[in-house]
Amino acid sequence: MADTYLEMAQLLFNDVVMTPSQLEVKYQQRALPEGAKVTRIAPSPTGFVHFGNLFPALVSERLAHQSGGVFLLRIEDTDAKRKVEGAVEMIIDQFNNYGFNFDEGAVKSGDSGSYGPYRQSERVDIYHVYAKMLVEKGLAYPCFCTADELETMRAEQEQQKVPIGYYGKWAKYRDCDIDTVKQFLADKKPYVLRLKSPGVLSGRIKVHDLVKGELELDENYLDQVLLKSDGVPTYHFAHAVDDHLMRVTHVVRGEEWLSSLPLHLQLFNVLEFKPPKYLHISLLMKKEGDSKRKLSKRKDKEAALSYYHAEGYPADSVMEYVMTVLNSNYEQWHQQNPDKNYRDFKFSVSKLGASSSLFDLDKLLDVSKNVIAAMDSKTVLESVVDWAKQYDIDLYNHILSDKNYALKIFSIGRTGPKPRKDIAKWSDVRDYISFFYDDMFEYKDTLPENISAGDAVMILEKYKGIYHSDDESEIWFERIKKLADELGYAMRPKDYKNEPEKYKGHVGDVSMVLRLAVSGKQCSPDMYSIMRILGHDRVIERLEKAIGVFGGSN
Ligand code: GLU
């Protein structure tokens, strides 16, 4: 029998010149410190990167870099039908946007590192070395079944109510004699290479997952395809060879891969590779009514990683959010260490939740407001410019028309112990700053009900007369208080609260009218700063304009 296997291997792979031992030498064990972990992300270039991919990616990156190991990017592009032009570049860009530094792997110009190639489509020769080895050992064989034959088999299995698939006695070409194989090859009959699975139907295996703990799973008993009819491997086969030769120690991926784990472990076993350690991360779920479901590429715009970039969430906000979900003690640590970055936090596998987490956009917005509030105005300006250049060219042009002016706007309320939190993402900026630009200025809000149009006009008229653009802030406010008093409004909200019947309102109402006049909004940052930035003439212009609008003549 052994001779037949060798002959078969030679027949199928007579062009394979390397051996597994040569590959072992070529891709040596890595010289890394004790305990260093080698991790990877292995996306397929489909043109879509799911937000959920950030979770295993961050865990992989942290495990590698916290231990002095290696974090690599491998492109799993064996499925030509799903391949999209430019998708590899897009993957690289998207992960770079989020601050991922790969130590090796696919780069735009090719590869970087000595364990490559890092694209599966360029590793076909390597896979054939192992495919040949499996045939030699009687652990893989060519299968010449046509699509029709497979369909007939399926129909029969359904009728007999037995598990569907290519296995055991159903596996027609499992023990096909070599002469038939020779004949089929001579006839150029297409074939795939299948694993001769050592597993049995209803067999169980025990697995240890670093997140999920001890698991008992169904053993793989199917003679899975290893090489497709064009000689290109399936992902399952390719990834086992790759993780071994790239000396990956820890595989971190979404729990949707748990069902493939028995097959993967079986492949490591037949290939005589030491399996890596596994971490299957829980999926991020979306709440829908009373139930939960996966974030869906089709239904949820937030499922696309590109969405967060387009909305202008700073990378640090997104990563902080991801870390908050991954490690329950992160938030507390961050509160205690507000000046530190999520990379300074000691990420730990034991804190990873074994059950699913809920996707919470409000939480992300909140995290992001804090991240942006902690930035200095220059960083905000540059980040907005970068973002707007790609996503809001009109805003970009406005800002670039006078960068110093924009810097002043972004400086409002940024210093001091409690910086303002008006901006959660760069797409909020347009609305936040538009009133500073005359051509974008508009009245977004109307007068509050407790202030009559007549009073508003009076406030504005009077204020025009007392406004001095170079007043210090205290004097500036004193004037408003005096004006309030003069017009029958309490100088302090407290006084009004105590004796409401005595006043028309309080100084806050007077300020509100002025605020509406200069910013068009009831809620805006510090009004003194706004007036300083607008400057004398434009403040007067806005007061006049508002007199017209509130008075009804405009
Ligand atoms: N290529 C797989 C994916 O697209 C990778 C699965 C794994 O990490 O093993 O997610």
Side-chain angles (χ1 to χ4, degrees):
M1 205 64 177
D3 284 353
T4 319
Y5 292 147
L6 284 180
E7 195 186 345
M8 178 97 81
Q10 207 48 45
L11 259 182
L12 299 175
F13 297 103
N14 69 346
D15 53 340
V16 169
V17 286
M18 273 187 299
T19 64
S21 348
Q22 284 169 334
L23 289 171
E24 288 297 320
V25 174
K26 183 167 180 205
Y27 299 104
Q28 285 182 22
Q29 288 293 349
R30 294 169 184 269
L32 290 171
E34 178 75 22
K37 300 178 173 71
V38 181
T39 61
R40 48 57 165 189
I41 57 165
S44 300
T46 59
F48 181 84
V49 183
H50 196 288
F51 173 62
N53 287 356
L54 280 187
F55 291 72
L58 182 58
V59 176
S60 301
E61 189 273 340
R62 289 290 73 205
L63 290 187
H65 290 157
Q66 276 185 184
S67 64
V70 176
F71 174 49
L72 61 90
L73 171 65
R74 182 172 73 227
I75 300 296
E76 303 212 318
D77 57 352
T78 55
D79 189 348
K81 283 192 278 322
R82 294 175 69 210
K83 230 190 244 174
V84 170
E85 201 52 47
V88 174
E89 288 71 17
M90 176 183 147
I91 288 171
I92 294 172
D93 283 342
Q94 295 222 26
F95 280 99
N96 282 346
N97 282 341
Y98 290 97
F100 283 98
N101 290 321
F102 298 104
D103 304 301
E104 54 187 70
V107 291
K108 286 191 187 169
S109 55
D111 277 338
S112 150
S114 39
Y115 286 79
Y118 295 92
R119 293 162 211 245
Q120 290 183 329
S121 57
E122 292 169 19
R123 297 172 63 80
V124 172
D125 289 351
I126 297 177
Y127 306 127
H128 283 201
V129 172
Y130 289 96
K132 182 179 180 186
M133 181 194 90
L134 290 178
V135 177
E136 283 171 353
K137 293 203 277 171
L139 289 165
Y141 63 90
C143 163
F144 297 89
C145 268
T146 60
D148 280 350
E149 280 176 298
L150 290 175
E151 199 31 61
T152 312
M153 175 187 85
R154 190 192 166 84
E156 264 178 55
Q157 288 173 331
E158 264 170 16
Q159 207 192 13
Q160 293 184 26
K161 298 198 174 20
V162 295
I164 308 293
Y166 201 87
Y167 61 96
K169 69 167 181 157
W170 297 95
K172 186 168 166 194
Y173 289 94
R174 227 179 191 230
D175 299 307
C176 183
D177 65 84
I178 188 134
D179 291 332
T180 311
V181 172
K182 277 186 190 163
Q183 187 56 52
F184 283 163
L185 291 179
D187 296 347
K188 302 241 171 321
K189 229 175 143 93
Y191 70 92
V192 298
L193 192 78
R194 285 188 186 267
L195 168 72
K196 192 185 280 180
S197 173
V200 289
L201 185 65
S202 71
R204 303 279 284 170
I205 56 162
K206 287 205 166 102
V207 190
H208 181 74
D209 183 277
L210 292 179
V211 181
K212 304 276 176 198
E214 300 302 326
L215 300 171
E216 210 184 292
L217 304 169
D218 285 337
E219 183 177 36
N220 173 61
Y221 60 91
L222 296 172
D223 284 0
Q224 298 274 8
V225 174
L226 303 178
L227 297 179
K228 293 174 267 187
S229 56
D230 55 1
V232 174
T234 54
Y235 145 75
H236 302 294
F237 180 49
H239 105 287
V241 171
D242 295 344
D243 281 342
H244 173 69
L245 290 181
M246 293 176 187
R247 309 296 175 184
V248 170
T249 62
H250 290 67
V251 165
V252 186
R253 58 190 179 187
E255 67 185 357
E256 71 272 27
W257 292 99
L258 258 184
S259 55
S260 306
L261 188 55
L263 169 63
H264 293 174
L265 287 168
Q266 195 170 76
L267 287 170
F268 275 90
N269 193 25
V270 295
L271 288 161
E272 294 177 29
F273 298 155
K274 179 172 177 244
K277 295 205 160 60
Y278 286 97
L279 290 87
H280 286 92
I281 307 266
S282 312
L283 295 179
L284 200 59
M285 307 295 269
K286 182 164 173 144
K287 206 164 180 229
E288 203 169 52
D290 287 337
S291 54
K292 294 193 277 183
R293 63 165 176 79
K294 278 199 289 187
L295 261 187
S296 135
K297 170 178 168 180
R298 220 167 16 89
K299 289 193 214 153
D300 310 308
K301 56 186 184 328
E302 322 86 274
L305 187 53
S306 55
Y307 164 80
Y308 301 85
H309 197 250
E311 284 288 295
Y313 286 95
D316 274 1
S317 307
V318 176
M319 296 314 288
E320 285 223 357
Y321 172 69
V322 171
M323 191 59 107
T324 307
V325 175
L326 285 174
N327 258 197
S328 49
N329 54 331
Y330 174 72
E331 241 183 320
Q332 197 188 5
W333 174 88
H334 191 55
Q335 272 161 13
Q336 287 158 0
N337 301 277
D339 300 331
K340 294 202 171 148
N341 184 276
Y342 65 93
R343 285 198 172 80
D344 302 317
F345 168 71
K346 181 138 183 29
F347 170 80
S348 94
V349 170
S350 62
K351 293 269 180 341
L352 280 172
S355 50
S356 61
S357 323
L358 274 187
F359 175 71
D360 183 351
L361 196 61
D362 290 336
K363 178 76 193 169
L364 170 61
L365 287 166
D366 204 47
V367 167
S368 196
K369 277 183 184 170
N370 287 318
V371 167
I372 294 178
M375 290 178 181
D376 62 36
S377 43
K378 250 200 152 111
T379 309
V380 173
L381 172 67
E382 292 312 330
S383 310
V384 173
V385 167
D386 270 358
W387 175 84
K389 190 173 183 183
Q390 196 177 350
Y391 296 106
D392 187 346
I393 202 67
D394 180 59
L395 178 69
Y396 174 81
N397 289 334
H398 276 86
I399 292 177
L400 275 239
S401 68
D402 187 347
K403 261 179 131 177
N404 253 334
Y405 180 71
L407 188 64
K408 284 188 205 153
I409 301 172
F410 291 123
S411 303
I412 301 177
R414 205 150 273 286
T415 47
K418 279 201 165 169
R420 288 186 62 92
K421 296 181 185 172
D422 305 279
I423 307 171
K425 46 188 173 17
W426 305 133
S427 52
D428 294 345
V429 165
R430 167 180 277 277
D431 190 48
Y432 177 65
I433 69 168
S434 58
F435 68 84
F436 281 102
Y437 296 87
D438 294 338
D439 63 333
M440 291 203 272
F441 173 77
E442 57 186 8
Y443 296 97
K444 295 224 160 102
D445 295 322
T446 51
L447 280 174
E449 274 173 20
N450 61 328
I451 307 171
S452 70
D455 279 359
V457 169
M458 193 149 59
I459 290 168
L460 293 165
E461 288 283 11
K462 291 256 179 205
Y463 186 69
K464 238 177 78 184
I466 58 168
Y467 165 64
H468 287 275
S469 58
D470 44 11
D471 279 347
E472 289 298 325
S473 76
E474 273 103 81
I475 302 176
W476 170 86
F477 191 51
E478 270 313 307
R479 287 190 204 277
I480 296 178
K481 273 162 74 179
K482 269 204 203 121
L483 176 63
D485 188 42
E486 194 184 314
L487 296 179
Y489 290 82
M491 285 166 90
R492 294 181 308 173
K494 209 167 81 193
D495 299 339
Y496 173 69
K497 232 175 148 190
N498 290 341
E499 296 170 283
E501 63 293 339
K502 238 175 106 177
Y503 305 100
K504 284 186 179 166
H506 60 78
V507 66
D509 299 316
V510 176
S511 294
M512 175 61 78
V513 174
L514 299 177
R515 186 179 292 282
L516 268 170
V518 293
S519 72
K521 300 196 267 195
Q522 289 199 12
C523 190
S524 60
D526 175 49
M527 187 160 56
Y528 176 72
S529 307
I530 295 176
M531 288 192 182
R532 279 306 261 236
I533 294 173
L534 286 174
H536 178 269
D537 295 354
R538 289 168 71 211
V539 169
I540 297 293
E541 259 173 44
R542 295 218 177 163
L543 295 172
E544 281 170 354
K545 182 170 174 149
I547 291 169
V549 172
F550 300 156
S553 67
N554 231 333

